[in-house]
Amino acid sequence: MTTSRPDPEDLTARARIRDAALRHFGEHGFEGATTRAIAETAGVSPGLLRHHFGTKQKLREACDAHLVKLISRINEQAGADTPASGMNYVAASMAALGPYQRYLARALTEGRAEPVFDAMAQMSEQWLAGLDERRSDPPFADRKARATVGTAMALAVGILHEHVSRGLGADVSSQEGAHLLALTLLDLYSHPWLSPEEAAAYRDALDKTRADTGATLRSAKEHPDE
Amino acid sequence: MTTSRPDPEDLTARARIRDAALRHFGEHGFEGATTRAIAETAGVSPGLLRHHFGTKQKLREACDAHLVKLISRINEQAGADTPASGMNYVAASMAALGPYQRYLARALTEGRAEPVFDAMAQMSEQWLAGLDERRSDPPFADRKARATVGTAMALAVGILHEHVSRGLGADVSSQEGAHLLALTLLDLYSHPWLSPEEAAAYRDALDKTRADTGATLRSAKEHPDE
DNA sequence: GAGGATACTATGCGCTTGCATAGGCGGGTG
DNA sequence: CACCCGCCTATGCAAGCGCATAGTATCCTC
């Protein structure tokens, strides 16, 4: 009934347990977290946790599902929003998923939470579609590939936020940290690290080393053209 | 099985244990891995593990230290190398750390392995220094900030390699996957997602929303704590 | 108001874990 | 030879884990 951010006190026990699990899994990892501690944080008995979720594994699946629901809700909202910014879409996602950032980071690095990643990649692809219309030269890779890698890169800041905060000199969740991060991102997204000529040269070199299988990779699958 | 390092048989028991730990910690996480299983993989008794490392925690610290040693060795090598590519430096690092990629990903997302990240960021900063000479307009953020975020983004592909592989349609550790990834990266690094005008506009908007504390950051900033 | 489903707690069991302790083995040194 | 000191194993234990089972309170329905 009340979908708008109720106090933890008002939530059902089931939701409280799930939120506590998100926190504990995020902080200590799945194996490191204990159902007893999760139950205690949620203010219930360990038995109730089992009653609602059955096993620890099922509890994690419920956490994953909750995250997916959150992200899909954000997507709807972003679709209805102005088509302007594909970039502060990611920022908005990170903000909304803020409390669960650590959990999300762990889930993603473990290869889980595929729908979350794919939904974000889908949004990036739309953003790229608009970009490609204004583009003259043919891309090096198809749109989905670029959207995928771009999404991974966009997620990096959230996943590695401790390191980013350390390098920036300000916590990215603080106000000045977020501001500095946004400025840095704007610069990075608008100023390429490689000129088109350099990129083309690298690509040609890449194609060449690919032909003779390279020195680092010693599998002889392709025929040398000598 | 075609690694460049010596056979596990030849390594000392201590090194075998450490390598086994790297694998187990990487696959199951620190808490999920057991000292017994690590010892079994290393082909020794659990007691010997304790003899050499004392506690499980000390074993992890030894793993971290080993990784740092590896990365610093790579850095020396990269420094002696051609100053050409700051980008395939990251690629080289990823290749060298390949067997420990999962461990590294976990360590980084947990905020550990600071020296690894900082060393990479340092390399990125050097790369940026050369770039800034050719640049006319003033950057939005200082060089270290851009190097930090750029490093995080470069690491993302390795950390999220399952998702990237899925999106690319080919495993990034396979030959065609790596090739496709390299092409995609070249395109991304040479074609900005934002025009300078757009970036400037966003920055101005950012400064404005900063004045009135921003509406989007409201929910993320403050969450009620008990 | 009886009856039954649902929400929740108390207690405990079997198992695995990290860690400790005691002892065996082998090669240098006097 | 005796000695000893690193390397290594076997065995065990206290603690904490996930999970099960039995029992109590609370609410909805007819």
Side-chain angles (χ1 to χ4, degrees), chain A residues 16-47:
Chain A
R16 280 209 319 274
I17 294 171
R18 189 204 54 222
D19 278 6
L22 253 342
R23 284 233 311 268
H24 279 254
F25 288 157
E27 273 184 47
H28 312 107
F30 177 71
E31 312 281 353
T34 70
T35 57
R36 281 170 165 82
I38 293 170
E40 193 182 1
T41 298
V44 299
S45 71

Side-chain angles (χ1 to χ4, degrees), chain B residues 185-196:
Chain B
L185 283 172
L186 282 176
D187 193 277
L188 253 42
Y189 274 105
S190 58
H191 292 77
W193 285 28
L194 247 37
S195 73

